[in-house]
Amino acid sequence: MPRMPSGSKSKQEAARQARLEREAAERAAAERKKRLAILGGALVVIVAIVAIVLAAGVFKSDPSDDASETDGVTGVKETQEMLAGVPYKGTVLGKPDAPVTILELADLKCPVCKEHELTSQPQLVERLVRTGKANIDLRLVNIIDPNAGTSDGAGARTFANNLIASNKYWPFIHTLYFNQGNESEEWASEELLQRIARSAGAGTVSARETSATRTAEEGADKLFEGLQATGTPSIYVKPRGTNEYTPVSSFNDVDAIAKAVDDAAKKAK
Amino acid sequence: MLDRRLRLASIVVALIGLGAAGYLTYSKYAHGGVCGVSGGCTVVQQSKWSELVGIPVSVLGIVGYVGILAALAAPQRLELVRLALVLMTGVGFLFSLYLMYRAYITLDAFCPFCTTSAVCQTVLFLISATRFVVGPGHQPSLAAAAALHEDSGEAEDDAA
């Protein structure tokens, strides 16, 4: 077979090569265009999926969302219902001579304490406090402020401790949790605290530190450190007549607390 | 070659994200969900945006990363696999964006592990979208392959 002159052949080959490359490029561009269109459709689907999830409001519900509001204070009615007929004195809710004391270390700015106070506490009151099986000793610590760079938690704690003597500590604290703000913000203004105190039946409350509030704070801090608590809420059960505190790790498990109370009751003196 | 590198990068990023989501899940359960243990992450993990239909979002994150890794382990020539990657990482990216908005704007909290996961989701989405549009690697087209074949044949002829 006669061979073509090499110059003509290479020209022809170059043209063929160029054509092949052009065709390949066109094919690639067409494929890319098709994929871009599919990607656009996928983006629409993605946005739709996320929008449906967010619009469905399937995030964790806030226990204070459905609470009643009285004179700009949320949860007054619910607090009254929980405490109705239950004795409380100072920091203790329930019969002072109950066989078991449930010690709760809480922070007024702690959102988990709010969850515990508004969801588990009413059940604990019904099952354990009203029945005389246990009382609840709620002590306030201040651990959120140092973490969040705020200072209103300390003020709120002092304010609450000023209500121990007038026996409005429990209604104030329970109502306050309904009105809790964002832990990283300074929401616990004196104006709000006074409003909540009024709703709890207290008059104008001093927001200043006194020797009594210092004693209460030192007592709570000492318990927190002594029991090596690492956060709030921390729950312990203590049999009557002893100084034996047993931690209950599942603070949001009412059954677990009830069981711990039953166990502790056997050791009560 | 580029596609292989991007795929490898995706695997590394997904593993980092899985680690972050795993740590967040561990800390949520190990610390019993108490306040005051790890600052910003606790704030975010105790917020109302920390659970979706009762499932912690960090657990959903783990499921998502495992799904992404599974898709990355599947044959990458399948367009459906690449599209699945785009969809998974896209949903993860957009959802992370929303959670970052809630963390930084609504809660004003800095959670390094949540942020790490969000960055991973962003990177994964960008890589997945790029890989999908570019296509499955630099495989020569049939025509180009034929030209290559002829070229090599002629070279052999010339040598002879």
Side-chain angles (χ1 to χ4, degrees), chain A residues 49-243:
Chain A
I49 290 171
V50 175
I52 288 167
V53 169
L54 298 184
V58 285
F59 287 106
K60 193 164 77 175
S61 63
D62 189 318
S64 63
D65 281 350
D66 300 325
S68 65
E69 195 173 317
T70 314
D71 299 329
V73 178
T74 307
V76 178
K77 192 170 149 251
E78 287 77 4
T79 301
Q80 287 168 351
E81 282 171 5
M82 186 185 88
L83 299 176
V86 182
Y88 48 89
K89 190 168 187 207
T91 61
V92 178
L93 176 71
K95 290 180 183 168
D97 59 346
V100 178
T101 291
I102 300 169
L103 172 69
E104 180 188 346
L105 299 169
D107 187 316
L108 292 172
K109 290 197 74 180
C110 160
V112 192
C113 300
K114 170 186 173 175
E115 198 177 327
H116 170 78
E117 188 67 26
L118 304 190
T119 55
S120 302
Q121 202 77 292
Q123 297 176 55
L124 291 174
V125 171
E126 280 305 308
R127 283 178 62 173
L128 304 172
V129 179
R130 278 188 196 283
T131 53
K133 288 182 177 176
N135 58 36
I136 303 172
D137 187 1
L138 173 55
R139 304 294 186 94
L140 296 174
V141 292
N142 181 37
I143 61 164
I144 298 294
D145 274 351
N147 273 327
T150 54
S151 60
D152 58 331
R157 173 164 86 144
T158 302
F159 194 99
N161 284 334
N162 266 321
L163 287 159
I164 293 173
S166 61
N167 210 22
K168 299 295 180 192
Y169 179 83
W170 264 93
F172 171 80
I173 288 177
H174 195 71
T175 311
L176 183 136
Y177 275 119
F178 278 100
N179 297 273
Q180 189 189 63
N182 190 331
E183 70 182 292
S184 56
E185 288 169 10
E186 302 254 353
W187 54 267
S189 65
E190 193 182 333
E191 190 272 326
L192 174 69
L193 299 177
Q194 293 290 3
R195 234 180 324 134
I196 294 170
R198 274 198 299 278
S199 79
T204 303
V205 180
S206 167
R208 296 174 66 178
E209 260 195 7
T210 64
S211 61
T213 63
R214 270 194 294 275
T215 304
E217 286 163 16
E218 283 164 12
D221 293 345
K222 202 174 158 189
L223 277 168
F224 191 84
E225 285 162 25
L227 295 169
Q228 296 176 325
T230 53
T232 54
S234 284
I235 308 276
Y236 301 84
V237 291
K238 181 176 84 73
R240 183 181 56 210
T242 71
N243 211 19

Side-chain angles (χ1 to χ4, degrees), chain A residues 13-27:
Chain A
E13 194 50 45
R16 186 171 163 271
Q17 189 65 33
R19 181 175 52 80
L20 284 173
E21 280 174 8
R22 196 179 61 245
E23 281 173 5
E26 280 170 2
R27 259 195 306 278

Side-chain angles (χ1 to χ4, degrees), chain A residues 34-53:
Chain A
K34 189 187 91 184
R35 288 201 192 98
L36 272 172
I38 296 172
L39 182 68
L43 290 178
V44 172
V45 172
I46 289 164
V47 171
I49 290 171
V50 175
I52 288 167
V53 169

